[in-house]
Amino acid sequence: MSIISYFKQIKEGLRFKYGPKLAKWLIADAIRLAEQKIKRGGRISILVDNTVLGHATVFKTGWVSTGVKKWGDESISTGYAARMPTYAPDQSELYRNICFLPGIAELAKTDAIQMFSSAELKDETYRQPSGRFIGYGYYDFNIFSDLDIPSIDGYHISHLASFGTPFLKEAPENLQRDRLRNVADPAYEILVKLMGARNSQDAFHLLTAERHQLFCFLTMDFKFRRTWESARKNKAYPLTTPVMTPQEFGLSFGIKPVHPHILRYTQASFPVRPDLLAPGKPGK
């Protein structure tokens, strides 16, 4: 081993040892004022959209090629798996919101906020690949992976179909559409009219947050957020619960943004390559 390789190995060892501690300190500092503010007024409960959970996988497993090498008479491609960042640091709306997820997750761990899902939101998750919310590879890291996010209003029987129970004649997504189409709630009917049928599911999630008196519906569906902003200006708009992005929620309580790359060595005992970008589309 060369002297350069030796010192690189020492440096990487220090990152594994102290990186998680530094990340924990930085996140604690980012939520200090927010935690005090929230606890003075009492714990806050929020409904969390699946878009937030999906985008919280800030590191994924990727393959690092080390070239083609000879194995006897054969030439084989060699390499190794490593943890890589999902998002490139930039000034996009998506990345700005990602930077508030570590603080929100930590506030949930300290019990300052309670994160809820719902029967309809759970129904959506069971129809999608589980890797979107927990990661597909062994080295993946989702900010909310160690948090229990219960449903605030129970579950639908269509969930069971995703576990291989072949008793449902209709696809779960069709059952969900039928349920929502037959919701007899004047407020919901107004929401769909103002926001359009294509936003019927998100409108129902917002109504769920309102009916259960939650602080907000937290989402990273920025298009729906803008649709809501326009709809709520109409005099017929029936709700008071806001739709908020992680950035809006964070800024309202004084949470500081934290770049997710500081978490690269958290729960890691394997190769980490922060200089490379993980394959695949973020949030999928």
Side-chain angles (χ1 to χ4, degrees):
M1 179 184 294
S2 68
I3 190 68
I4 295 177
S5 297
Y6 173 77
F7 280 110
K8 282 184 177 179
Q9 191 176 64
I10 294 295
K11 187 177 181 180
E12 190 69 359
L14 292 174
R15 288 172 175 162
F16 274 99
K17 183 175 181 179
Y18 296 107
K21 295 178 181 178
L22 176 61
K24 188 174 182 179
W25 183 87
L26 288 173
I27 294 173
D29 178 68
I31 67 166
R32 186 167 289 112
L33 293 178
E35 188 174 24
Q36 294 171 0
K37 182 177 180 179
I38 292 173
K39 288 188 173 180
R40 281 197 300 267
R43 185 172 66 168
I44 289 174
S45 296
I46 62 176
L47 186 66
V48 183
D49 191 19
N50 293 324
T51 56
V52 176
L53 304 181
H55 282 299
T57 300
V58 294
F59 294 100
K60 293 183 178 181
T61 306
W63 182 255
V64 181
S65 175
T66 54
V68 177
K69 296 183 179 180
K70 281 286 187 179
W71 183 266
D73 294 330
E74 300 292 328
S75 296
I76 60 173
S77 298
T78 62
Y80 60 92
R83 173 182 282 180
M84 302 176 185
T86 304
Y87 304 94
D90 55 33
Q91 297 301 314
S92 67
E93 182 179 35
L94 175 60
Y95 188 77
R96 292 198 309 270
N97 277 273
I98 292 293
C99 291
F100 285 90
L101 298 185
I104 292 172
E106 191 63 25
L107 286 169
K109 293 174 185 177
T110 63
D111 208 36
I113 65 175
Q114 171 69 63
M115 301 174 68
F116 283 105
S117 184
S118 70
E120 295 298 345
L121 284 166
K122 290 288 187 183
D123 200 57
E124 292 174 7
T125 64
Y126 282 102
R127 297 201 308 269
Q128 299 176 36
S130 60
R132 182 186 175 194
F133 307 105
I134 60 175
Y136 295 95
Y138 183 72
Y139 302 159
D140 292 17
F141 179 75
N142 186 291
I143 291 172
F144 300 116
S145 61
D146 53 356
L147 281 170
D148 177 35
I149 305 177
S151 171
I152 199 167
D153 58 357
Y155 300 86
H156 288 301
I157 196 167
S158 57
H159 291 172
L160 301 178
S162 63
F163 293 98
T165 308
F167 61 82
L168 292 175
K169 294 182 179 180
E170 289 191 70
E173 57 267 30
N174 293 333
L175 292 173
Q176 185 176 44
R177 289 194 199 97
D178 289 342
R179 280 197 307 271
L180 298 183
R181 192 179 298 117
N182 294 307
V183 170
D185 187 303
Y188 180 62
E189 293 173 4
I190 294 172
L191 289 177
V192 174
K193 184 177 180 180
L194 293 176
M195 297 179 175
R198 69 177 60 186
N199 291 305
S200 60
Q201 288 177 227
D202 285 317
F204 189 82
H205 301 329
L206 177 56
L207 181 67
T208 300
E210 173 92 0
R211 293 290 182 256
H212 290 275
Q213 300 180 325
L214 303 183
F215 179 79
C216 72
F217 175 45
L218 190 73
T219 186
M220 289 181 68
D221 184 340
F222 305 118
K223 187 175 181 179
F224 174 70
R225 169 63 180 75
R226 288 187 281 270
T227 298
W228 169 81
E229 183 66 39
S230 177
R232 75 187 185 100
K233 296 175 183 177
N234 191 295
K235 292 181 180 180
Y237 185 78
L239 307 184
T240 59
T241 302
V243 176
M244 302 183 78
T245 64
Q247 182 178 21
E248 289 170 331
F249 180 87
L251 292 176
S252 68
F253 289 102
I255 300 174
K256 298 177 184 177
V258 175
H259 293 282
H261 73 266
I262 70 163
L263 294 162
R264 60 190 181 275
Y265 291 97
T266 298
Q267 300 177 17
S269 58
F270 37 74
V272 176
R273 290 297 302 268
D275 56 316
L276 301 175
L277 199 62
K281 188 176 180 180
K284 300 295 184 181

